[in-house]
Amino acid sequence: MVAVPEQTSGQAPAAAWAPVGRPLLSLALTSMMDAVGAHSGAVYLRPGDAPVLEMAVMAGLPRSFAAPWERVGLSAPIPVAEAVRERRLVWVGGQEDMARRYPRIAVVLPYPFALVALPVATASRVYGAVFLTWPGSHPSELSDRERRELTSACERLALRLERAAARNHAVLAESDLLEAGPLGGVSDTLGSLEAARMVARLPYGMCSLDLSGRVGFANAAASELLGVPVGELLGSQLWASVPWLNDPMYEERYRAALISQDATSFVALRPPSEWLSFRLYPSTTGISVRISRARAVSEMRPAAPRPGDAPTRLVSMSQALSMAGALTETVSVRDVLGLIADEIAPAVGCQALALLGTRAGRLRVLGHHGYPDPHSVERFDGLPLSAPTPGTHAVAHGVPAFFDSREQLERLYPARHVSPDGFAAWAYLPLIASGRPVGACVLAYAEARRFSTHERAVLASLAGLIAQALDRALLYDVKHQLAHGLQAALLPPSLPSLAGLEATARYLPATRGMEIGGDFYDLVPSAPLPAAVIGDVQGHNVTAAGLMGQIRTAVRAYTTVGQAPGEVMRSTNRLLIDLGSELLASCLYLRLDPARGRAVMARAGHPPPLLRRPDGRVRVLDLAGGPLLGIDGTATYPTTEVELGGGCVLALYTDGLIERPGVDIEDAVADLGGRLGAAGDRPLEELADELVGHYATAEERIDDVALLLLRPREDE
């Protein structure tokens, strides 16, 4: 998630909106805040059916505090997006709850506060969302009264928005509400002049800040301690008018006080050697600051600001923190592209994007999003890096390029006018990781725009974060392709066609590690009788996969020379011990005789197969067997002959298909048998999909899954 460029405090974002008419959203928001005693909040609107929420009005705090979330995708892991996705109230009871459930927000706002988010929706349409916040002193649970008040208020707001839509009345963004409230009769009691005299007589500095950090009052002692005339303090932010307070650490204390509504303090060095103590007393209307000389300071002195340093923009720090947290969660190139499309693009306001990379001196289009005509970006794939295009230039030379209009782009790259992509402004951001270019990110905008100096700096900073994520993702994708290539090479590409027998198989790798493992299966068309085998080598890595390949090859060799099933298992066991591997393996071997409707089986610690008879009954075959392969070089493996007549289905599987956390193994086998019995009459391919269906769609599999189904043909 990333912040858009900082807006002027108290103003709505510069969009295609301007506040007109009755302030519907502001009235609804302040009414909700008053009803439940919240000290800040915001209303989001959803533009049409776009998967985006845009902040329309905020109250109680400067908009810069929520800058990373002014525009958010509906898939973003934040409370307002979750409230819309799930159409429910989302409550975050405090700092620990926020850190556990929404770590990205907790990184940017590490303060004690509570938050609630609700959808603004009717039965047929979602119009937006609302969030409210309270200081950390709020109880950890939302009361029933507060829930009723907020739910009813959001329902009423949704109905008003629905009526406005029916009348084609656009509901527009409104000015943020940061105005200070009445002083509660202080002026009537003391008189404004006497109040000023009283503060002027105090022996320490006093100044008042509004919610945006601007100084509204300062006494003479504050001016003397800060070394800045009162006239220069008034109307400006304290850290902007006092150069040695221009440090994000001090500004962060002001932000902490406002959000938590708790008094906070810090000490700062006034050059060359005087330490001052600042005590901040917040309220919902602003902050009172007490300034005095510090008696003792034990902490290390921070470096003084260098001459000419520009004021630090707090929003830029928030952007970097939020984006860094989000990008650490990406794994593949697809993940990086999805994050940019779902969260960064809505935040920076672009309508399309492309990720570019290189291979063998040529441009690669790694992915794109938002282009009406995919060919407009895919046609650049394979171009030599010497080609005169802005994308190749950004990748090859590592220099960012910003084009405010189509005319500006075509003036520098005349070839672009031949096949335009339909957009009007572009940012080409080189992605540099560890001092070397790994690609470029292209952001495309539907309207011409002027990229300000601050916006260019923010986008360039984002490019650095994206580059680190893309560099990791490219390495992951290479390893992933190698792992899958190795797995595909070790497993049979297809099963042979055998007389009198149908067969099909499925393999699903574990989703942990390298997504490669030691499960294997094979169907060997040996003479005079074919054989089938399924097995499982411990582990989910290259070592397990390599050993699996050796075992599969050995079983084929022993079968081809005519060894009996028990002898095949004994020979394979001795081979595994001779190889000196510390890994063990389970195995189930069958010599098939479809003509007689029989099969001879030998088992080495492998789960028992399931046999479905033509009448639909399923039996677990309790076969005699020996220990796992690789334990005892003298082990023997007795054999069992079973009936395998026409219409029967024999299911061989590995333990990944039946082992699930918290589920008894016998119950899991019974469940598999039940599904085999119910669907056993279906075509074998459909049956296989049915038996592994749950695992095929699972986002996480802790073990490999292998399945081999055999069905004798009744007509042969």
Side-chain angles (χ1 to χ4, degrees):
M1 185 185 312
V2 61
V4 296
E6 184 177 6
Q7 307 290 340
T8 303
S9 299
Q11 298 297 318
W17 313 345
V20 295
R22 187 168 177 264
L24 168 63
L25 303 179
S26 302
L27 289 175
L29 179 60
T30 54
S31 175
M32 280 187 257
M33 292 171 61
D34 291 341
V36 297
H39 84 295
S40 74
V43 177
Y44 287 80
L45 293 178
R46 183 180 182 185
D49 293 326
V52 173
L53 294 173
E54 298 180 348
M55 187 181 292
V57 63
M58 186 168 181
L61 288 175
R63 183 177 287 253
S64 61
F65 283 26
W69 310 287
E70 280 195 301
R71 287 172 54 91
V72 299
L74 291 186
S75 61
I78 66 171
V80 287
E82 184 174 320
V84 170
R85 288 196 306 270
E86 301 182 9
R87 282 178 168 253
R88 66 176 180 87
L89 181 149
V90 175
W91 168 249
V92 184
Q95 190 174 14
E96 292 184 3
D97 196 15
M98 183 70 76
R100 183 178 66 255
R101 296 165 56 192
Y102 306 100
R104 297 189 205 170
I105 297 179
V107 167
V108 179
L109 302 175
Y111 316 117
F113 69 99
L115 180 146
V116 68
L118 302 94
V120 177
T122 62
S124 59
R125 181 176 175 183
V126 176
Y127 290 91
V130 169
F131 80 76
L132 302 177
T133 68
W134 291 261
S137 56
H138 188 283
S140 60
E141 295 294 332
L142 198 64
S143 71
D144 291 339
R145 182 193 68 81
E146 290 170 325
R147 287 178 178 269
R148 288 194 302 271
E149 290 277 359
L150 294 175
T151 302
S152 298
C154 286
E155 290 173 351
R156 291 193 298 271
L157 177 57
L159 290 174
R160 293 184 185 122
L161 293 173
E162 185 178 57
R163 287 197 293 267
R167 296 194 299 266
N168 291 324
H169 289 175
V171 177
L172 308 174
E174 301 167 8
S175 297
D176 291 345
L177 304 175
L178 291 178
E179 294 80 12
L183 296 178
V186 173
S187 299
D188 296 338
T189 305
L190 299 173
S192 58
L193 180 60
E194 186 57 27
R197 288 173 177 169
M198 181 192 72
V199 175
R201 289 192 293 266
L202 294 174
Y204 43 77
M206 291 291 297
C207 62
S208 175
L209 308 182
D210 67 11
L211 294 176
S212 298
R214 293 186 294 263
V215 179
F217 173 84
N219 65 1
S223 173
E224 179 182 354
L225 288 169
L226 296 174
V228 178
V230 171
E232 295 182 20
L233 291 172
L234 296 179
S236 65
Q237 292 177 319
L238 190 61
W239 46 88
S241 56
V242 183
W244 44 273
L245 285 179
N246 179 23
D247 188 310
M249 178 179 69
Y250 305 139
E251 188 180 354
E252 190 272 343
R253 292 290 83 204
Y254 139 81
R255 188 166 65 151
L258 274 187
I259 294 179
S260 68
Q261 290 291 293
D262 289 333
T264 186
S265 61
F266 63 90
V267 293
L269 174 65
R270 176 185 171 179
S273 58
E274 185 176 25
W275 287 91
L276 298 182
S277 172
F278 293 77
R279 183 75 175 172
L280 282 64
Y281 299 90
S283 76
T284 57
T285 60
I287 293 180
S288 297
V289 183
R290 170 179 166 170
I291 310 171
S292 60
R293 289 181 172 85
R295 290 194 177 95
V297 177
S298 59
E299 63 192 55
M300 184 179 296
R301 301 181 177 186
R306 294 172 298 180
D309 278 353
T312 301
R313 289 183 180 269
L314 185 62
V315 66
S316 296
M317 180 173 65
S318 299
Q319 290 168 338
L321 288 171
S322 185
M323 270 301 304
L327 286 168
T328 58
E329 300 173 10
T330 59
V331 176
S332 66
V333 173
R334 178 179 293 183
D335 292 341
V336 176
L337 181 69
L339 175 67
I340 302 172
D342 292 342
E343 300 189 33
I344 302 177
V348 302
C350 73
Q351 285 69 49
L353 64 99
L355 272 182
L356 308 179
T358 63
R359 177 187 290 166
R362 293 187 175 273
L363 190 71
R364 288 184 58 208
V365 178
L366 302 176
H368 56 82
H369 175 82
Y371 286 89
D373 178 13
H375 176 70
S376 63
V377 62
E378 292 170 357
R379 64 191 177 88
F380 294 104
D381 193 67
L383 280 180
L385 293 182
S386 58
T389 70
T392 54
H393 191 271
V395 172
H397 300 285
V399 178
F402 300 89
F403 302 97
D404 299 344
S405 66
R406 179 177 168 183
E407 292 74 20
Q408 189 181 78
L409 176 67
E410 293 176 354
R411 186 166 58 250
L412 294 175
Y413 298 94
R416 281 300 301 268
H417 80 275
V418 177
S419 54
D421 56 17
F423 293 95
W426 299 263
Y428 286 82
L429 309 173
L431 304 178
I432 310 296
S434 302
R436 58 184 179 81
V438 295
C441 180
V442 183
L443 305 179
Y445 298 80
E447 304 291 337
R449 66 189 287 123
R450 179 183 173 274
F451 293 94
S452 67
T453 301
H454 174 62
E455 188 173 6
R456 293 179 184 221
V458 169
L459 292 176
S461 298
L462 293 181
L465 297 173
I466 295 171
Q468 298 296 327
L470 181 62
D471 193 33
R472 292 195 313 270
L474 289 170
L475 181 60
Y476 170 84
D477 282 354
V478 169
K479 291 182 177 179
H480 192 266
Q481 291 169 5
L482 288 174
H484 277 263
L486 176 60
Q487 190 82 59
L490 294 175
L491 290 172
S494 62
L495 296 178
S497 178
L498 299 177
L501 189 69
E502 290 183 76
T504 191
R506 296 291 185 270
Y507 173 80
L508 301 172
T511 56
R512 297 182 181 179
M514 290 188 65
E515 298 190 15
I516 185 173
D519 287 18
F520 67 96
Y521 60 85
D522 204 355
L523 192 58
V524 186
S526 58
L529 297 175
V533 63
I534 192 166
D536 183 2
V537 178
Q538 288 178 317
H540 310 111
N541 50 35
V542 173
T543 303
L547 187 60
M548 174 267 283
Q550 290 176 298
I551 292 176
R552 176 173 165 250
T553 301
V555 169
R556 269 189 165 260
Y558 299 140
T559 300
T560 302
V561 299
Q563 288 189 357
E567 188 60 32
V568 170
M569 297 296 278
R570 287 193 294 273
S571 299
T572 306
N573 178 52
R574 287 194 296 269
L575 171 67
L576 190 57
I577 293 175
D578 291 343
L579 290 174
S581 173
E582 296 181 355
L583 300 179
L584 305 177
S586 69
C587 191
L588 179 63
Y589 180 87
L590 296 78
R591 185 61 56 82
L592 302 166
D593 191 348
R596 293 178 54 240
R598 312 294 292 178
V600 178
M601 305 185 186
R603 184 162 69 102
H606 198 81
L610 299 177
L611 178 65
R612 182 191 187 274
R613 298 190 179 279
D615 59 7
R617 290 182 300 167
V618 176
R619 183 163 66 96
V620 179
L621 298 181
D622 186 16
L623 307 176
L628 292 169
L629 303 178
I631 294 179
D632 180 7
T634 63
T636 60
Y637 296 89
T639 60
T640 304
E641 185 175 85
V642 298
E643 181 183 352
L644 189 60
C648 293
V649 177
L650 185 64
L652 316 178
Y653 54 91
T654 57
D655 55 11
L657 191 61
I658 55 173
E659 289 186 353
R660 297 192 298 275
V663 179
D664 183 80
I665 192 70
E666 293 184 359
D667 293 338
V669 172
D671 175 67
L672 179 63
R675 288 186 285 130
L676 174 62
D681 290 329
R682 295 163 62 178
L684 214 57
E685 296 293 334
E686 293 182 14
L687 176 59
D689 292 337
E690 170 67 24
L691 296 182
V692 302
H694 168 72
Y695 298 89
T697 57
E699 293 185 2
E700 184 169 329
R701 291 184 294 272
I702 62 176
D703 199 1
D704 303 14
V705 173
L707 173 70
L708 178 61
L709 298 180
L710 304 172
R711 174 188 282 160
R713 293 191 177 96
E714 296 184 81
D715 56 343
E716 298 189 29

